[in-house]
Amino acid sequence: QVQLVESGGGLVQTGGSLRLSCAASGIVFSVNVMGWYRQAPGKQRELVATITSSGSTNYADSVKGRFTISGDNAKNTVYLQMNSLKPEDTAVYYCNSRSPWNNYWGQGTQVTVSS
């Protein structure tokens, strides 16, 4: 059964850092694009960052220079290192996996940045 499990969310102060992890099972990284999305209350879910199996990355303008997405193919795990966090980053962060045939989501992990 395909499963994406996020971890690493929490409460941090402005300027702090967090590292989110997404452990995937039943998914082949070589044919999937992994990504992080976030959704704040009353807002649409938005793309944060993506990474391909070859290591190509893409970031939303709002997080460029502060967030870094990476993956460990051996562990089937994708990470999101978040630095210089701002209150505007407060949201539920979701791990996503896309293939030519499927689209999977994790349950999400809450990130709250206090000012």
Side-chain angles (χ1 to χ4, degrees):
Q1 184 176 1
V2 174
Q3 188 175 25
L4 303 176
V5 181
E6 301 102 331
S7 62
L11 174 64
V12 297
Q13 294 180 321
T14 297
S17 298
L18 284 173
R19 187 183 70 167
L20 306 184
S21 298
C22 174
S25 61
I27 296 174
V28 181
F29 273 19
S30 63
V31 297
N32 284 57
V33 176
M34 304 296 296
W36 288 96
Y37 291 71
R38 67 186 182 186
Q39 187 168 25
K43 301 290 186 179
Q44 292 184 322
R45 188 171 298 184
E46 64 177 355
L47 174 70
V48 176
T50 60
I51 185 168
T52 68
S53 59
S54 64
S56 179
T57 59
N58 187 55
Y59 298 92
D61 289 341
S62 59
V63 306
K64 285 181 179 178
R66 300 188 298 121
F67 291 10
T68 302
I69 188 171
S70 62
D72 186 334
N73 288 338
K75 296 182 178 180
N76 260 16
T77 301
V78 64
Y79 305 94
L80 184 68
Q81 179 66 47
M82 304 185 294
N83 298 324
S84 301
L85 283 163
K86 307 173 181 179
E88 306 93 272
D89 297 317
T90 295
V92 177
Y93 284 70
Y94 297 91
C95 182
N96 172 258
S97 176
R98 296 179 186 270
S99 74
W101 316 283
N102 298 102
N103 184 19
Y104 299 105
W105 296 91
Q107 292 298 308
T109 184
Q110 177 70 49
V111 172
T112 302
V113 184
S114 62
S115 60

